[in-house]
Amino acid sequence: DIQMTQSPSSLSASVGDRVTITCQASQDISNYLNWYQQRPGKAPKLLIYDASNLETGVPSRFSGGGSGTDFTFTISSLQPDDIATYYCQQYDNVPFTFGPGTKVDIK
Amino acid sequence: QVQLQESGPGLVKPSETLSLTCTVSGGSISDYYWHWLRQTPDKGLEWIGYIYYTGSADYNPSLKSRVTISVDTSKNQFSLKLTSVTAADTAVYYCARDERDIVATIGAFDIWGQGTMVTVSS
């Protein structure tokens, strides 16, 4: 299985701050990476697919980048609505696997 | 718009079979891939398997010996059966749609059910 790691595991930032999360795959997955947002008590929501493509309707303050084994997810200006846990997920190989998540909080 | 709803028992006894159904509303089950996933505080999000409306399926190797996913196009539903459950199978179970329709590119879950908590306990 492809192992996904994320850092940090949690972060606290102020409204308006730029927030960046990193995700690393245990092997080359090209750009076969998605990012999800999960608010407490809710199902995950797909934000970014193919490492850098914004899902329809997702605010442009969210962005993603990277390829191969190293990826980033950025919120350009943190909003109160962004309090959630964010997960990366690879789909290069079955079984599809997720990172452990990064919990984002408002300072 | 397409919505998914999981249904099934919230409590299953150890060694028995967990059975869940996902009902697709607002759209056809045809032409998409459909997935089951689960989430626990310890293991996080885990992909269980997928099925295509034709009945073609694939599973997580870690669960393959115990999992069956089936589809009923007449009812616009797909189902999960997990046999010989233990406490480790206690989780929130989600059904989800794949936004891709080509098997070589699937793996992006764009529509999710609300999730259903299943506890394995005697």
Side-chain angles (χ1 to χ4, degrees):
Chain A
D1 297 5
I2 297 175
Q3 308 302 316
M4 306 300 294
T5 57
Q6 286 181 237
S7 62
S9 57
S10 65
L11 66 89
S12 188
S14 300
V15 172
D17 281 355
R18 183 180 184 88
V19 167
T20 298
I21 298 168
T22 63
C23 173
Q24 189 168 59
S26 60
Q27 64 188 66
D28 189 339
I29 59 169
S30 185
N31 67 331
Y32 299 133
L33 184 101
N34 302 318
W35 288 96
Y36 296 84
Q37 174 193 66
Q38 186 176 32
R39 296 190 173 104
K42 300 294 186 183
K45 174 186 176 183
L46 179 63
L47 297 182
I48 289 173
Y49 62 94
D50 295 348
S52 61
N53 293 309
L54 211 58
E55 188 75 355
T56 303
V58 173
S60 59
R61 65 179 180 273
F62 296 102
S63 64
S67 67
T69 60
D70 297 301
F71 302 87
T72 58
F73 172 83
T74 299
I75 307 174
S76 61
S77 176
L78 187 67
Q79 301 302 306
D81 196 40
D82 301 337
I83 294 174
T85 300
Y86 294 86
Y87 297 93
C88 60
Q89 174 244 326
Q90 67 80 22
Y91 60 99
D92 182 54
N93 275 345
V94 165
F96 307 127
T97 50
F98 291 81
T102 296
K103 189 173 182 180
V104 175
D105 222 334
I106 300 288
K107 198 181 290 183
Chain B
Q1 83 229 29
V2 175
Q3 293 184 312
L4 307 182
Q5 179 67 57
E6 305 92 349
S7 59
L11 181 64
V12 182
K13 289 182 168 53
S15 80
E16 296 191 344
T17 296
L18 179 160
S19 295
L20 295 175
T21 295
C22 183
T23 300
V24 180
S25 60
S28 173
I29 202 167
S30 299
D31 297 327
Y32 284 98
Y33 287 82
W34 305 91
H35 300 265
W36 285 100
L37 304 98
R38 67 184 183 180
Q39 185 173 29
T40 64
D42 287 347
K43 293 188 70 177
L45 284 159
E46 181 178 30
W47 174 77
I48 298 171
Y50 74 73
I51 192 159
Y52 194 45
Y53 77 101
T54 58
S56 172
D58 199 3
Y59 306 116
N60 190 322
S62 69
L63 299 168
K64 195 167 189 172
S65 63
R66 300 193 292 130
V67 172
T68 303
I69 300 176
S70 59
V71 63
D72 186 338
T73 54
S74 68
K75 294 182 179 178
N76 238 29
Q77 295 177 334
F78 62 106
S79 299
L80 168 71
K81 288 192 187 303
L82 181 65
T83 62
S84 307
V85 296
T86 70
D89 296 309
T90 294
V92 176
Y93 285 77
Y94 293 101
C95 57
R97 188 187 79 169
D98 203 295
E99 70 172 5
R100 310 280 173 82
D101 59 2
I102 299 172
V103 67
T105 63
I106 63 169
F109 317 120
D110 68 336
I111 300 175
W112 295 63
Q114 66 185 23
T116 187
M117 180 70 205
V118 178
T119 301
V120 178
S121 174
S122 55

